[in-house]
Amino acid sequence: MFEPNCVIVFLAPEISLKSRPVQKRMHEIIKNNIVIALKNNGLDYAKVISRSGRVFFDTTDSVSAIEVLKNSFGLNLLFATQKIVCEELKFESILNNSLDCCKTKINGEFAVRAKSFNKKIDARKLERELGSEILDNISSTKVNLTKPNTQCN
């Protein structure tokens, strides 16, 4: 069952136009702003990290965290997600865990998007395989890559 325990924050796209040193400084400012906002609102969080133009942090109340941060400087999109820790980093275990999360959320047309920070995991292959599993296991679904009703990230 899908239980959000993590938030993914997409940073404003104009930050990527800055030089590397300015980007690095902006990322640090944004991370500090997130920490301050969460602390000021009494929300639990753990390990705020920045990678690939995104900020990730674990939290027990992702809905409240998103509500607090939705109008913060430099943040573009915020997503509640479920962080899954696999005993072994195997493609099959990631696929099975992802399918379990998707079963209750997908309705109608869908698209699967994956981003891998691990060179051992092929994100495109995961997208194709998970999409195929969803089609096989969830009735009345269809793939729509341009305007899906549901997007699995």
Side-chain angles (χ1 to χ4, degrees):
M1 184 167 147
F2 180 74
E3 296 178 20
N5 59 3
C6 182
V7 174
I8 300 175
V9 181
F10 283 69
L11 302 182
E14 54 270 13
I15 294 173
S16 67
L17 300 174
K18 308 294 183 196
S19 67
R20 290 284 178 206
V22 173
Q23 283 182 31
K24 186 176 178 181
R25 178 71 179 130
M26 297 289 285
H27 288 199
E28 288 303 315
I29 291 169
I30 290 170
K31 282 174 36 181
N32 289 335
N33 287 347
I34 288 172
V35 168
I36 290 168
L38 295 173
K39 278 184 182 177
N40 287 345
N41 287 279
L43 296 171
D44 293 330
Y45 68 94
K47 202 167 56 169
V48 179
I49 60 169
S50 173
R51 187 182 296 167
S52 299
R54 296 165 177 83
V55 175
F56 305 86
F57 63 92
D58 300 339
T59 182
T60 55
D61 190 358
S62 58
V63 174
S64 296
I66 289 172
E67 188 63 31
V68 165
L69 297 171
K70 71 180 182 183
N71 293 320
S72 295
F73 164 76
L75 308 185
N76 189 24
L77 299 169
L78 297 106
F79 296 100
T81 187
Q82 182 176 9
K83 183 177 180 179
I84 300 170
V85 179
C86 300
E87 297 78 37
E88 294 182 50
L89 192 57
K90 292 189 176 177
F91 187 82
E92 293 77 25
S93 63
I94 294 170
L95 185 64
N96 291 334
N97 284 322
S98 300
L99 182 61
D100 289 342
C101 289
C102 292
K103 281 184 179 178
T104 59
K105 297 293 179 186
I106 293 184
N107 185 12
E109 297 178 337
F110 72 96
V112 177
R113 308 284 189 234
K115 173 80 173 159
S116 176
F117 297 108
N118 186 327
K119 294 184 189 324
K120 295 177 184 176
I121 303 295
D122 181 2
R124 298 299 160 244
K125 181 180 176 187
L126 184 62
E127 288 177 351
R128 289 189 301 271
E129 292 290 327
L130 181 56
S132 177
E133 289 293 321
I134 290 169
L135 286 172
D136 292 344
N137 290 292
I138 303 173
S139 61
S140 70
T141 58
K142 228 173 135 177
V143 175
N144 183 340
L145 299 177
T146 55
K147 290 187 180 180
N149 294 344
T150 307
Q151 182 168 300
C152 299
N153 293 309

